[in-house]
Amino acid sequence: MQTWTNDADPGIELVVDWQKFESGRDLDEVPVYLGAEPPRKQGTIIRIEGLRDDWSDAQIRRCWRGLLALQQPFPVVPVERRPNADPGFKVSFLRDGGLFDDPSLVADFQTEILSHHHALIEFRVDDDGMAEWRISQNSFGPDRGWAKIHHELRDATEPPNYSVLRDVAMKAHYFILAPDLLPNLAYSRVRDTLRAEGGIRLYRNGFRVISYGEPENDWLRLDQIYAQRGAVLAPIANRNFFGIIEVYDPEGEQFEEHTSREGLIEKEAFLELTGLATAVIVTAVNRIAEDRGRKQSAGGSTQRKADENLEKLRDAARAAREAEEERAREAVGKDTNEPPAGNASPDPHPKPAGGESSAALIEESIDLIEKQRAELADEAALLRLLATLGLTTSEFSHETGMTFEAVRIDFQSVFEIALSARPGDNAFATQAERAKSMLSRLDALTAYLNELASARSVRQLAPVSVSKALGEFETGVSKLAEKAGIGLMIDVPAYDPLYTRPMHAAEIASILLNCFSNSLKALRRVDSERLIRVEAAAGEDRDIVIRFSDSGDGIPDEHKEKVFDLFFTTRTAAPATASNAEQFSGTGLGLWIVHQIISKAGGDIEVVDPPAGFSTCLEIRLPAEEEDEE
């Protein structure tokens, strides 16, 4: 290893012969050379020779990715501006080309990731608070040069300077993760690296501030903006960026860290920074989407255009009807001298040889479109309602889960004191044990819901292990099943993780929870043994088969084709005085949601003949992960 701190002073060379490190030999006897090297450009070189095994290019790239987390991948502010600042380091892997050949580059950050980006998005704030942004290296259109910006005064021709924010810069490489927009050999590598390391990191005075830009940390709200699909339709999630924001604040006047060293205190400078960064990224991504010829945002003119097109169809129907009636009158006029045979009279609305008239066909199409629009409007309203309920439930379970640890400790003390005060009261002891069991049951279920809520917040699709999902499902509902007197059996192959094609992990959990909810209702209506069995196995047609069986009161044959329809239910509606939870229970949404999830994933669900000892079986088929998918 050779290292130089600058280009004026001598460097240091360390040579270690690992072949001399033998079992049973004293370490003091192993020669290690440490000497000086003539001055040269600052940096560090590690040279590995005499390897026992050859390193393939793939192994070298994996090693490079392992070092990625230690690097500040690229500078933002030029080092010349701050000569004494630590420039960080980069890692490059070179393969020796032999006696007469120069070493060849195998992997560095530029070749592996950055050279495949679609645009570079930057902003900078100077010592006076003036902010500028630009787009360069745009793959789809012209670059945009430096332009002034202030996120709170977006329409100003001369935006003012920021009141507090100073000495900040961002450089973000933007990627559109589409197979047709990236080279075949690079797509998987870029996608996987961005999944693990994508996002916008924050550096303060050259040091990384945790946990900004970590997976699951959406400090600039990029995942949230993309998930809403409102103001921005173009790809804008954290996984579409590899970038950093660098803050220079040596005195800590603008940006102060919490005493726990976990993040910055959200003072005015921090709020100005996040507002500016989000505004620049959203603006830039919309410009790039415009260059690609893609729709930038949802809503707005869509409804208006649909109304305008329907009105044009109505005009066309009226014109067609008038033209048909005119032709009919002309035909009647021609035939006045030749009365029709018998008592027949001319048809005032003659039809073409194909059947119905053009006007009738247009009018029928308009009626069908309007009916479908009404159904879609109802479904959209329902989905908004379900989304609202889901967010509320997630927030409630999160807040509840945060208190459980303290509640558990306090209740344990209360139980111990109460039981010691009433040592001979068996009835009280039974009640206390039941209370502890109920608390444990609620704790497990809340923890499971918290995991689902966090999984739903991630928009990224990835192969899902059905085996793992079933294990988490069993953990989450086992106490609930036990309380209801249900025997729960989970059967999956011992060594097969059963990965699906890319989808949301929370979708598998939603399928299982909805099926469990329906089985729970069916089992409550029987007095016999209550059983639920869930089996998962690899299917014959590159799919994964999940069979969810219960010993409830079954599904009548006439309902087996309807149970997946929206709002289909045989349950009596709750009275008007019932709680909201009771009102929404049994409304025919559960299996419809399950069917929607499975259909969207390219799978299928149907009611099939149950195994012996069970009355109902739902068979779910999901496409398995392809062999070439990573």
Side-chain angles (χ1 to χ4, degrees):
M1 180 179 71
Q2 298 170 318
T3 183
W4 294 264
T5 57
N6 56 62
D7 56 6
D9 298 327
I12 299 173
E13 181 182 37
L14 172 68
V15 179
V16 179
D17 187 353
W18 291 103
Q19 294 182 356
K20 301 292 179 61
F21 285 79
E22 300 172 351
S23 177
R25 188 176 182 182
D26 194 330
L27 292 179
D28 294 337
E29 300 177 5
V30 179
V32 175
Y33 170 77
L34 183 65
E37 283 290 303
R40 55 157 289 174
K41 183 179 179 182
Q42 70 177 34
T44 299
I45 299 173
I46 298 177
R47 185 179 183 89
I48 303 175
E49 300 175 327
L51 295 174
R52 291 188 174 90
D53 299 312
D54 290 335
W55 280 31
S56 66
D57 286 357
Q59 289 173 312
I60 292 175
R61 290 193 176 99
R62 280 198 295 272
C63 184
W64 175 84
R65 286 195 289 269
L67 293 170
L68 182 60
L70 303 177
Q71 307 174 53
Q72 180 171 334
F74 36 84
V76 176
V77 180
V79 175
E80 289 78 6
R81 181 180 174 187
R82 303 198 304 274
N84 297 325
D86 183 354
F89 66 93
K90 299 179 181 179
V91 176
S92 300
F93 280 86
L94 305 175
R95 185 185 294 280
D96 197 335
L99 183 60
F100 300 105
D101 297 325
D102 293 331
S104 60
L105 179 66
V106 178
D108 68 357
F109 196 79
Q110 183 67 42
T111 61
E112 293 294 293
I113 304 297
L114 300 187
S115 61
H116 303 295
H117 71 192
H118 295 107
L120 181 64
I121 303 170
E122 297 172 273
F123 74 71
R124 62 190 181 192
V125 182
D126 65 13
D127 295 337
D128 297 322
M130 185 190 72
E132 297 177 300
W133 76 284
R134 73 174 179 180
I135 301 174
S136 61
Q137 303 176 34
N138 186 0
S139 301
F140 307 104
D143 292 346
R144 271 83 169 175
W146 290 107
K148 294 182 67 176
I149 187 173
H150 194 295
H151 72 280
E152 292 181 345
L153 298 167
R154 291 169 290 177
D155 298 326
T157 54
E158 278 296 321
N161 294 358
Y162 278 91
S163 59
V164 178
L165 192 62
R166 300 287 187 275
D167 292 320
V168 175
M170 181 191 80
K171 179 179 286 185
H173 295 259
Y174 178 55
F175 299 80
I176 300 174
L177 297 177
D180 58 326
L181 296 178
L182 289 166
N184 291 335
L185 296 178
Y187 172 71
S188 297
R189 182 169 69 249
V190 172
R191 178 199 61 192
D192 293 345
T193 302
L194 286 169
R195 280 178 178 176
E197 302 293 339
I200 309 293
R201 268 59 170 180
L202 179 63
Y203 285 80
R204 176 174 173 264
N205 303 327
F207 292 92
R208 173 82 182 279
V209 183
I210 303 296
S211 59
Y212 300 109
E214 288 289 311
E216 312 297 331
N217 181 282
D218 191 23
W219 72 292
L220 295 179
R221 297 175 53 248
L222 301 182
D223 288 336
Q224 178 184 338
I225 292 170
Y226 188 45
Q228 290 172 343
R229 305 289 280 171
V232 185
L233 285 181
I236 196 174
N238 282 294
R239 67 177 179 274
N240 295 108
F241 296 92
F242 205 114
I244 64 173
I245 293 176
E246 187 177 46
V247 172
Y248 182 62
D249 181 31
E251 305 300 327
E253 297 176 354
Q254 301 180 70
F255 299 94
E256 182 181 350
E257 291 191 51
H258 288 281
T259 54
S260 63
R261 313 296 291 178
E262 295 181 359
L264 302 176
I265 298 174
E266 296 188 4
K267 298 194 296 186
E268 187 175 357
F270 182 83
L271 298 178
E272 287 185 345
L273 172 61
T274 55
L276 171 63
T278 303
V280 167
I281 291 172
V282 170
T283 303
V285 167
N286 275 336
R287 296 288 188 278
I288 295 167
E290 183 180 347
D291 293 339
R292 293 180 66 203
R294 298 300 182 92
K295 185 180 177 184
Q296 300 175 40
S297 62
S301 61
T302 304
Q303 181 70 29
R304 183 173 63 253
K305 289 181 179 179
D307 292 338
E308 290 174 355
N309 289 338
L310 274 176
E311 190 58 38
K312 290 177 182 178
L313 281 175
R314 293 189 186 97
D315 291 340
R318 284 192 292 270
R321 179 68 69 188
E322 291 171 359
E324 290 171 1
E325 291 175 351
E326 181 63 27
R327 286 196 299 270
R329 285 193 294 271
E330 291 176 358
V332 171
K334 291 179 181 179
D335 293 342
T336 50
N337 297 328
E338 298 180 9
N343 297 324
S345 59
D347 186 354
H349 304 296
K351 300 178 178 59
E356 288 186 287
S357 68
S358 299
L361 286 173
I362 296 175
E363 290 167 351
E364 183 180 348
S365 298
I366 292 172
D367 292 339
L368 180 61
I369 291 172
E370 289 181 330
K371 181 180 178 181
Q372 290 175 335
R373 286 184 70 192
E375 292 174 352
L376 288 173
D378 289 342
E379 184 173 323
L382 172 64
L383 292 175
R384 284 194 295 272
L385 173 62
L386 292 174
T388 302
L389 291 173
L391 289 172
T392 303
T393 303
S394 298
E395 183 63 25
F396 175 79
S397 64
H398 173 68
E399 294 297 331
T400 304
M402 291 176 64
T403 65
F404 260 120
E405 190 63 33
V407 169
R408 188 185 303 106
I409 295 173
D410 291 342
F411 265 62
Q412 184 63 36
S413 299
V414 171
F415 288 147
E416 291 175 355
I417 295 171
L419 290 172
S420 62
R422 303 172 67 172
D425 193 339
N426 294 332
F428 180 79
T430 301
Q431 288 180 325
E433 190 62 33
R434 184 174 63 186
K436 286 195 290 185
S437 175
M438 294 293 290
L439 181 64
S440 177
R441 167 186 162 193
L442 187 59
D443 189 11
L445 189 57
T446 303
Y448 185 53
L449 291 175
N450 281 335
E451 290 182 8
L452 296 187
S454 62
R456 286 190 180 96
S457 67
V458 182
R459 189 174 176 83
Q460 176 178 316
L461 302 181
V464 179
S465 169
V466 172
S467 302
K468 180 182 177 183
L470 281 171
E472 293 171 347
F473 166 77
E474 183 177 16
T475 301
V477 304
S478 58
K479 291 187 178 295
L480 183 60
E482 181 181 351
K483 179 64 178 176
I486 297 171
L488 180 63
M489 297 169 283
I490 307 293
D491 185 11
V492 295
Y495 301 104
D496 191 346
L498 300 176
Y499 278 98
T500 69
R501 294 187 66 181
M503 59 188 302
H504 292 292
E507 291 178 322
I508 298 291
S510 295
I511 292 170
L512 297 172
L513 276 177
N514 275 296
C515 290
F516 178 81
S517 176
N518 279 277
S519 293
L520 198 59
K521 296 168 190 173
L523 289 166
R524 285 171 178 165
R525 296 192 288 263
V526 298
D527 296 325
S528 56
E529 186 179 20
R530 298 177 177 181
L531 299 173
I532 291 179
R533 181 176 181 180
V534 188
E535 305 165 270
E540 298 178 356
D541 300 321
R542 289 295 303 158
D543 58 4
I544 296 171
V545 181
I546 304 172
R547 292 186 177 89
F548 204 109
S549 306
D550 66 65
S551 59
D553 58 353
I555 301 174
D557 291 338
E558 64 269 25
H559 293 160
K560 289 181 178 180
E561 296 293 329
K562 302 177 183 178
V563 293
F564 304 111
D565 292 346
L566 181 61
F567 296 128
F568 176 80
T569 181
T570 58
R571 197 177 188 195
T572 303
T577 56
S579 66
N580 287 339
E582 290 175 291
Q583 293 284 358
F584 283 105
S585 178
T587 54
L589 296 177
L591 290 181
W592 174 76
I593 292 172
V594 168
H595 184 267
Q596 294 292 309
I597 293 172
I598 294 170
S599 298
K600 183 180 178 181
D604 196 14
I605 181 173
E606 61 179 334
V607 181
V608 299
D609 293 334
F614 295 87
S615 56
T616 302
C617 181
L618 299 179
E619 184 175 274
I620 300 160
R621 291 184 174 271
L622 293 169
E625 181 186 23
E626 299 290 345
E627 292 180 357
D628 58 345
E629 290 183 17
E630 298 185 1

